[in-house]
Amino acid sequence: MAVPSGDQKPESYYVGVDVGTGSVRAALVDQRGTLVAFAEQPINQWEPQFNHHEQSSEDIWAACCVVTKKVVQGIDLNQIRGLGFDATCSLVVLDKQFRPLPVNHEGNSHQNIIMWLDHRAVSQVHRINETKHSILQYVGGVMSVEMQAPKLLWLKENLRETCWDKAGHFFDLPDFLSWKATGVTARSLCSLVCKWTYLAEEGWDDSFWKMVGLEDLIADNYSKIGNQVLPPGASLGNGLTPEAAKDLGLPAGIAVAASLIDAHAGGLGVIGADVRGYGLACEEQPVTSRLAVICGTSSCHMGISKDPIFVPGIWGPYFSAMVPGFWLNEGGQSVTGKLIDHMVQGHAAFPELQAKATARCQSVYAYLNSHLDLIKKAQPVGFLTVDLHVWPDFHGNRSPLADLTLKGMVTGLKLSQDLDDLAILYLATIQAIAFGTRLIIEAMEAAGHSISTLFLCGGLSKNPLFVKMHADITGMPVVLSQEVESVLVGAAILGACASGDFSSVQEAMARMSKVGKVVFPRHEDKRYYDKKYQVFLKLVEHQKEYAAIMKGD
Ligand SMILES: Nc1ncnc2c1ncn2[C@@H]1O[C@H](COP(=O)(O)OP(=O)(O)O)[C@@H](O)[C@H]1O
Ligand SMILES: O=C(CO)[C@H](O)[C@H](O)COP(=O)(O)O
């Protein structure tokens, strides 16, 4: 663990805990937003059937305890002022005594989380969308199978006795963590607005739950899904309980914040940075010209506006769900990091790649990037895919097409299976993800957003090729934060707000998020990428044509 040196030791620290899809991370962060300690612990995932993805809330809490204990080692605990959590928007199910309930036919209650990327509730979401309820305008016009209402309906229709009838509490994972830390069942406005159809100003809409067949949730003033709602960063109850304090290795009573979904924490961690001196157009523009792109297992595209903007196929507008007082639109790609890993690991040359990367003590991504540099010769690296094109929706399209039936496509395959072939397929996959971002930005701009700069964070932002392709393909500069783990800075910002050390989320954002590096697009390559984008759009057009042909007589 690194502890700051010198005389200017900051007096206050905040702990941020980030529960991603693949691992739990914690950081000890000072008032200037610098990470002074970091720890990571992988978490289990189960796929009992295709498209069913489950986790365990006990496992996740145990991992939170391991990493938090690690980051506070050697620190005077009295200097820790606040704790903030963010997590994926997965559905946690507990009984009336707060014990885990199984979300599977096998009755395994350890597996009590339906993960965000679970697509079991296809028939349920189809029926919810057929209602055309007015609430759907706040999720881009079409509810996603990844949201909570279809998953709740699936549980009611499929696990009535073993789960639904026994359930006492349905939590979004970020809210489960803040409950576990404080005993307070209040939900964050972020999770309820973004994934549960709650409206910041009007609250729950009874008519929606009745229309979709989940009227039982209205009982007791929505006590099973949340009837006390707090803004992210608000201080919860009496802070950390003695029991949770012992688990986490922190002092009892420190402030614990109402949480955020992970992408939203990433947004807070990057979007408010002072950009003066980098030659960026957004320096002279309002904060609404910035798009935060949080790229991990999935990518989430977070754009804010002063007035609500309704963008077909893009989630939101959600009021105050990320930056207080601003509306949020959230575009997304359900699998990005997961897709790159799927393509790389599934290739025949993967064992060779692994062996060569290990021999050089490099990650497979760093090895592939340097391999591409070798084979590109004098041309720009992106030109290696002139005849290889990928459509990236291997897990359906979240935005802006909002079509979960779409599949992945690759065109331009050859009879080779060597390392060159793998490296070029990896490049084409990264480019396809960047073209997906371009499509999302175009949809947001057509509806009224005006975006000039991307702020990238998450695991994929550690990949220079991924960052470069996003700059070249969107034609926009990409800002990377000083702290690579910006999602954790966002979680720490929550803890800092709950501690009362900052008067607002905006003030904490401005003080704690910092620019590290800016990657500008290579405008010389624009014509090439415009042509590849034309092909990209044709791919999905053709996929729809194939489906129509196969449906016909
Ligand atoms: N050092 C790295 N270089 C390149 N890509 C990386 C690196 N580390 C992680 N990744 C990519 O980031 C993805 C995971 O990002 P992460 O933010 O950790 O995910 P999550 O929050 O969903 O658990 C992986 O799927 C991988 O593709
Ligand atoms: O739906 C989301 C945010 O609204 C995220 O995609 C989901 O939470 C998973 O995040 P990650 O890819 O960082 O694990």
Side-chain angles (χ1 to χ4, degrees):
M1 188 196 72
V3 176
S5 58
D7 302 330
Q8 312 249 305
K9 211 168 170 181
E11 283 174 6
S12 301
Y13 294 120
Y14 313 100
V15 174
V17 178
D18 166 37
V19 179
T21 300
S23 68
V24 176
R25 280 83 60 157
L28 187 70
V29 180
D30 70 18
Q31 279 196 306
R32 292 184 292 273
T34 307
L35 260 76
V36 296
F38 169 81
E40 181 166 18
Q41 173 90 356
I43 43 178
N44 287 318
Q45 288 179 49
W46 293 272
E47 197 178 339
Q49 291 176 44
F50 179 65
N51 270 341
H52 289 223
H53 295 265
E54 299 176 3
Q55 282 182 324
S56 154
S57 64
E58 286 181 346
D59 257 19
I60 288 175
W61 179 251
C64 291
C65 296
V66 170
V67 289
T68 305
K69 279 183 179 148
K70 280 190 187 159
V71 296
V72 300
Q73 256 171 38
I75 285 284
D76 174 0
L77 294 184
N78 294 316
Q79 289 178 285
I80 300 172
R81 304 258 312 138
L83 168 64
F85 292 98
D86 73 74
T88 63
C89 45
S90 299
L91 177 67
V92 182
V93 188
L94 303 179
D95 72 8
K96 295 177 179 79
Q97 284 76 42
F98 294 92
R99 291 173 306 211
L101 277 173
V103 294
N104 42 69
H105 291 290
E106 294 73 29
N108 185 344
S109 60
H110 191 61
Q111 291 163 223
N112 68 321
I113 297 181
I114 303 185
M115 291 180 71
W116 62 272
L117 77 168
D118 187 293
H119 282 190
R120 71 181 67 183
V122 171
S123 134
Q124 287 73 14
V125 81
H126 188 60
R127 279 177 275 139
I128 289 172
N129 282 320
E130 275 181 342
T131 66
K132 306 242 180 280
H133 192 282
S134 59
I135 212 115
L136 299 174
Q137 70 182 306
Y138 288 97
V139 290
V142 185
M143 182 169 284
S144 162
V145 69
E146 294 173 10
M147 291 184 171
Q148 308 299 15
K151 290 171 177 161
L152 291 163
L153 192 55
W154 186 93
L155 288 174
K156 182 172 176 180
E157 292 177 349
N158 292 275
L159 298 178
R160 180 111 204 184
E161 279 161 27
T162 51
C163 180
W164 186 256
D165 289 344
K166 292 182 180 164
H169 309 273
F170 298 102
F171 282 105
D172 220 276
L173 185 53
D175 294 327
F176 165 81
L177 297 170
S178 60
W179 162 73
K180 193 80 182 154
T182 61
V184 176
T185 58
R187 308 307 205 267
S188 162
L189 187 70
C190 172
S191 48
L192 287 201
V193 166
C194 297
K195 308 292 166 171
W196 298 71
T197 73
Y198 187 88
L199 294 181
E201 276 148 358
E202 291 92 335
W204 294 117
D205 184 335
D206 293 359
S207 69
F208 171 75
W209 297 101
K210 285 180 188 156
M211 200 180 258
V212 302
L214 287 169
E215 58 291 334
D216 19 3
L217 293 176
I218 302 171
D220 196 15
N221 188 23
Y222 291 92
S223 67
K224 286 187 184 174
I225 60 173
N227 52 23
Q228 194 198 350
V229 187
L230 293 172
S235 178
L236 290 168
N238 297 321
L240 198 61
T241 62
E243 194 190 347
K246 198 162 155 249
D247 286 353
L248 294 164
L250 293 173
I254 61 162
V256 180
S259 312
L260 278 171
I261 298 169
D262 54 357
H264 303 63
L268 279 199
V270 297
I271 211 169
D274 180 356
V275 295
R276 278 175 298 179
Y278 290 91
L280 290 164
C282 69
E283 185 179 329
E284 306 297 332
Q285 294 165 341
V287 67
T288 49
S289 65
R290 305 175 181 197
L291 185 75
V293 190
I294 295 80
C295 324
T297 303
S298 63
S299 289
C300 303
H301 306 71
M302 323 296 281
I304 57 176
S305 56
K306 269 284 169 206
D307 297 308
I309 302 180
F310 293 85
V311 193
I314 306 255
W315 297 346
Y318 300 137
F319 187 62
S320 280
M322 188 172 87
V323 181
F326 283 85
W327 291 84
L328 170 72
N329 284 107
E330 179 181 346
Q333 295 164 289
S334 291
V335 289
T336 52
K338 193 173 171 69
L339 176 63
I340 293 170
D341 296 346
H342 174 83
M343 297 299 249
V344 169
Q345 290 166 13
H347 196 278
F350 179 64
E352 182 190 345
L353 166 67
Q354 239 185 343
K356 289 188 165 158
T358 309
R360 273 207 216 154
C361 298
Q362 276 185 325
S363 72
V364 290
Y365 316 107
Y367 189 92
L368 285 171
N369 293 352
S370 53
H371 192 76
L372 284 167
D373 276 340
L374 277 182
I375 57 180
K376 79 181 172 63
K377 305 207 172 78
Q379 64 181 337
V381 68
F383 287 31
L384 285 169
T385 55
V386 68
D387 55 2
L388 183 69
H389 310 281
V390 174
W391 178 261
D393 290 334
F394 284 54
H395 198 50
N397 180 282
R398 193 191 277 183
S399 315
L401 307 176
D403 182 351
L404 69 88
T405 67
L406 287 177
K407 309 276 190 299
M409 298 165 88
V410 182
T411 167
L413 295 173
K414 293 184 294 191
L415 208 52
S416 62
Q417 289 190 312
D418 60 13
L419 205 49
D420 288 6
D421 180 72
L422 165 52
I424 295 171
L425 185 62
Y426 156 80
L427 170 65
T429 305
I430 289 178
Q431 289 175 327
I433 293 167
F435 284 122
T437 291
R438 177 164 164 177
L439 189 59
I440 288 169
I441 293 171
E442 284 181 0
M444 291 177 80
E445 295 205 308
H449 281 274
S450 179
I451 294 158
S452 69
T453 314
L454 308 184
F455 287 67
L456 250 63
C457 66
L460 285 168
S461 70
K462 295 176 198 162
N463 186 340
L465 184 69
F466 186 88
V467 174
K468 180 183 162 42
M469 286 301 131
H470 274 69
D472 289 350
I473 285 172
T474 63
M476 291 185 190
V478 174
V479 177
L480 298 173
S481 293
Q482 195 168 298
E483 291 300 345
V484 179
E485 302 293 341
S486 308
V487 182
L488 281 165
V489 174
I493 285 174
L494 294 176
C497 290
S499 73
D501 289 351
F502 294 99
S503 59
S504 65
V505 169
Q506 275 93 335
E507 188 200 347
M509 273 167 40
R511 296 266 197 95
M512 293 175 69
S513 49
K514 305 242 165 40
V515 175
K517 185 180 170 194
V518 180
V519 177
F520 287 94
R522 257 177 65 90
H523 291 298
E524 311 87 285
D525 300 347
K526 183 175 180 317
R527 208 175 122 62
Y528 170 77
Y529 288 119
D530 283 348
K531 286 195 280 182
K532 264 191 81 80
Y533 188 51
Q534 272 184 45
V535 176
F536 180 77
L537 298 176
K538 285 261 180 244
L539 286 172
V540 70
E541 197 184 308
H542 291 166
Q543 182 174 155
K544 287 179 179 168
E545 280 175 24
Y546 303 157
I549 292 170
M550 296 311 292
K551 245 194 202 164
D553 296 326

